[in-house]
Amino acid sequence: MTNKSQNDLFRFVEYSAENAERMGYSNYSYWRSVFQNFLKKKSAVIMACVFLALVIFSFIALAIGKYSYTDIKTDPMLAFTSPNGEFWFGTDNMGRDYWCQVWYAAQISIKLSLVVAIGECIIGVVIGCIWGYVRSLDRILTEIYNIIYNVPTVIYMTLIALVVGQSFTIMATAMIAIGWLVMARNVRNLVLMYRDREYNLASRCLGTPVWRVLTKNIFPYLVSIVILRLALSIPATIALESTLSYLGLGLDPSTPSLGILLRNARNYFLDYPYLLIFPAVIVSLITITFYLVGNAFSDAADPRNHV
């Protein structure tokens, strides 16, 4: 190949600061990448849509129902009426419409689980970061964790219900006061793992504040674990509330929840299975949904799965 042909094929390009900046710019977005990875998990997306539809329909169901929960009346003559055109989910042992009870209880249980999950997440992440980063507090917080965690949760909840009382606020506060332990422990272990990495040591040597090291350097690696624990906390809260209500230690009996409906159905479900089926199906849907969605979103949020 002659010099003349080489000059025809190749030429020098003049420097352009605008073009250089455009070539060096990365269009990467962490959260966009997270959602792109999550949307690839079709089963998790479908179950997330099912849960969203369940929440929305719980409000629609009360609006289209023939009876209002606030105006519900007992009628012993209508006790144990099977589902029909008048009573879509039948009636309970006191002749009350079961449709409005089930959907109102679903709202209460979902609200309780979301409040508890968010409260556990905030307290657990804050204490977990301090626990793992401040070495002088490690021994103290570890002993507090061991003391609280090694006592069964049912004992705490029983004492609180008997001494303080039974209400939505009391139960949510009690669950948060105990449930933050698992989140804090997981966060603490990860902070210990990433605290002394080279880039964090360099940041501290340069005088970077501790809060910035935690939020910018360490927290991105905690997102997947935090999301997973947050998602699993929701069905766990509903399961615990159902267990406590079954034992008579849950919410105030005048405030219906899925656990209270399951407790009330225990003496009649062999003869009237619909009393158990409807609330049990909703509890099962919520549990399966957040198990699949939590795992899928946790994998999608893991920085190691991003390119």
Side-chain angles (χ1 to χ4, degrees):
M1 183 176 293
T2 63
N3 292 333
K4 184 177 181 180
S5 61
Q6 289 180 354
N7 292 332
D8 292 337
L9 293 174
F10 303 100
R11 64 184 178 85
F12 288 101
V13 178
E14 295 183 2
Y15 173 76
S16 171
E18 182 180 352
N19 292 334
E21 185 176 352
R22 185 183 297 112
M23 293 176 61
Y25 172 72
S26 174
N27 198 30
Y28 171 79
S29 171
Y30 171 75
W31 287 108
R32 182 173 61 193
S33 179
V34 168
F35 284 105
Q36 287 175 348
N37 290 339
F38 175 74
L39 292 175
K40 295 177 183 178
K41 307 292 181 64
K42 301 301 181 184
S43 60
V45 173
I46 292 173
M47 293 307 296
C49 293
V50 170
F51 175 74
L52 183 61
L54 181 67
V55 174
I56 295 174
F57 186 75
S58 66
F59 292 92
I60 297 176
L62 292 177
I64 65 176
K66 296 184 178 181
Y67 300 92
S68 172
Y69 174 77
T70 56
D71 298 330
I72 193 171
K73 298 179 181 179
T74 61
D75 188 352
M77 298 296 294
L78 297 174
F80 300 119
T81 300
S82 299
N84 54 43
E86 178 69 18
F87 301 102
W88 297 337
F89 277 4
T91 61
D92 62 5
N93 60 312
M94 301 179 67
R96 299 173 297 186
D97 179 49
Y98 208 50
W99 171 273
C100 63
Q101 289 189 73
V102 168
W103 291 113
Y104 189 82
Q107 289 184 13
I108 295 296
S109 294
I110 292 173
K111 180 182 176 181
L112 175 67
S113 61
L114 291 175
V115 169
V116 172
I118 294 173
E120 291 178 357
C121 177
I122 295 174
I123 296 175
V125 169
V126 172
I127 295 180
C129 288
I130 297 173
W131 187 0
Y133 200 86
V134 183
R135 298 186 181 185
S136 59
L137 297 177
D138 184 70
R139 180 65 181 273
I140 297 173
L141 291 175
T142 300
E143 293 301 327
I144 294 174
Y145 171 87
N146 291 331
I147 292 172
I148 300 177
Y149 187 74
N150 288 322
V151 178
T153 303
V154 175
I155 295 179
Y156 287 120
M157 300 305 296
T158 301
L159 292 175
I160 293 171
L162 296 177
V163 175
V164 182
Q166 296 174 259
S167 69
F168 183 93
T169 303
I170 292 173
M171 191 170 192
T173 304
M175 287 185 171
I176 293 172
I178 300 170
W180 63 268
L181 293 169
V182 177
M183 176 74 78
R185 182 73 178 187
N186 291 333
V187 171
R188 176 254 187 191
N189 292 339
L190 288 175
V191 171
L192 283 176
M193 185 185 303
Y194 294 109
R195 179 183 61 187
D196 295 328
R197 295 289 176 91
E198 291 81 0
Y199 51 86
N200 287 324
L201 293 175
S203 295
R204 293 205 296 269
C205 290
L206 293 172
T208 305
V210 173
W211 67 267
R212 187 170 180 82
V213 173
L214 288 171
T215 56
K216 298 295 184 180
N217 294 2
I218 298 178
F219 187 72
Y221 292 95
L222 310 180
V223 172
S224 59
I225 296 298
V226 170
I227 291 175
L228 179 61
R229 290 305 317 168
L230 181 65
L232 295 180
S233 175
I234 292 174
T237 299
I238 293 179
L240 178 59
E241 183 273 323
S242 300
T243 302
L244 293 173
S245 297
Y246 188 84
L247 298 174
L249 302 170
L251 297 173
D252 184 354
S254 62
T255 304
S257 67
L258 295 175
I260 290 177
L261 295 183
L262 291 173
R263 182 195 67 184
N264 294 339
R266 63 185 173 183
N267 296 324
Y268 313 107
F269 73 91
L270 291 178
D271 298 321
Y272 308 100
Y274 66 87
L275 294 175
L276 178 68
I277 291 174
F278 293 124
V281 167
I282 295 177
V283 171
S284 301
L285 278 176
I286 295 173
T287 302
I288 296 171
T289 294
F290 278 96
Y291 177 79
L292 294 176
V293 173
N295 280 283
F297 208 86
S298 175
D299 292 339
D302 192 337
R304 293 172 294 183
N305 294 333
H306 295 198
V307 294

